[in-house]
Amino acid sequence: MTETTATPETTEPEVLTEIDGNVLVITLNRPKAKNAANAAMAQQMDAILTEFEANDSLYAAVITGAGKTFCSGMDLKGFLKGEKPSIEGKGFLALTQQTISKPVIAAVEGYALAGGFETMLACDMVVAADTAKFGIPEVKRGLAAAAGGLVTLPQRTHRAVAMEMALTGDIYPATFGKENGFVNRIVEDGKALEGALELARTIAANGPLAVKASKRIIVESIDWSTEEKFAKQQEIVDPVFVSADAKEGATAFAEKRAPQWTGK
């Protein structure tokens, strides 16, 4: 995974990448602007996520923010200039309208607001520092949380909770997110990335075909009827059960060793 090129007005890219074993770490990198998303950041995220999907040696990704902030949302200065921090068909930061086939975990320190909160919601799991703050304050600016706050949040929590967050625009603590189902784990301040990497490494140690199939079923089955859900599930899991990885998993268990996955 190579880092993207910086724009002329910056000294380094708006998004940084690092590989930790089979895990890709993606860092939103505009700390002086509290990682507010601009067009350049969205374009770089698009390239990074496309490469992540295509790289068979990467099993999971963690998205975090530089400078003790996850993402404060859209860069309003850029918005006033006509910039959009989104990619057509893929959404805010090239993530909120698409489903990545591999697990993506958000590591949240500080604020995840507006588009930043919606980017977090687009991730499969969330590890948050106990000092993290969440909110979709768009209504306070005469805008609407159209990058997932209004359509994704109700699927991740109770309707009444989503309604309150969207209509008040208030800011909420990490404990609120854990209590209402959109935060998986809360860790000490400064430990969100460490906690997310621990979770990502645990996932990446499992069979990649099985992980991808499991995620796909959980994502897609929300639209399946009771009558069709097991048949549709079977179509997705059948190739997993006859894969080389399935045989390797059983063999490794019998031989009391760690499996060597090939993704085949």
Side-chain angles (χ1 to χ4, degrees), residues 217-231:
I217 291 166
I218 290 171
V219 170
E220 295 183 6
S221 62
I222 191 172
D223 297 319
W224 296 351
S225 69
T226 300
E227 293 75 20
E228 67 184 356
K229 63 183 180 182
F230 282 103

Side-chain angles (χ1 to χ4, degrees), residues 5-169:
T5 304
T7 54
E9 65 271 16
T10 62
T11 57
E12 59 182 346
E14 282 86 350
V15 186
L16 305 175
T17 58
E18 181 181 355
I19 293 175
D20 180 299
N22 297 110
V23 178
L24 175 65
V25 180
I26 303 170
T27 303
L28 307 178
N29 188 45
R30 298 187 71 220
K32 292 182 180 179
K34 298 189 181 301
N35 298 321
N38 59 11
M41 184 183 281
Q43 292 159 7
Q44 291 171 27
M45 279 289 288
D46 187 26
I48 289 166
L49 292 172
T50 298
E51 188 174 345
F52 169 62
E53 279 279 58
N55 190 331
D56 292 336
S57 68
L58 294 174
Y59 297 166
V62 171
I63 301 178
T64 191
K68 295 284 288 180
T69 295
F70 183 72
C71 176
S72 59
M74 176 173 61
D75 186 329
L76 294 180
K77 293 180 181 178
F79 171 71
L80 292 173
K81 296 177 184 177
E83 282 191 20
K84 291 184 178 181
S86 58
I87 300 297
E88 185 69 30
K90 297 181 179 180
F92 192 89
L93 288 181
L95 182 60
T96 59
Q97 291 181 30
Q98 69 164 324
T99 299
I100 305 298
S101 68
K102 306 172 188 180
V104 180
I105 302 168
V108 181
E109 298 279 354
Y111 288 96
L113 301 177
F117 179 75
E118 292 163 311
T119 298
M120 183 197 85
L121 285 180
C123 297
D124 301 298
M125 288 155 280
V126 177
V127 176
D130 54 15
T131 52
K133 305 290 185 184
F134 307 109
I136 39 177
E138 282 88 342
V139 290
K140 293 182 182 294
R141 303 166 188 160
L143 302 171
L150 304 180
V151 295
T152 304
L153 182 57
Q155 297 175 353
R156 295 285 292 271
T157 188
H158 303 294
R159 178 182 181 274
V161 171
M163 194 73 75
E164 177 185 331
M165 293 184 71
L167 302 189
T168 66

Side-chain angles (χ1 to χ4, degrees), residues 181-206:
F182 58 81
V183 170
N184 294 77
R185 300 181 181 183
I186 295 178
V187 296
E188 293 179 13
D189 183 40
K191 301 288 188 180
L193 179 56
E194 181 181 326
L197 279 171
E198 179 183 355
L199 180 56
R201 290 170 188 145
T202 299
I203 293 168
N206 298 325

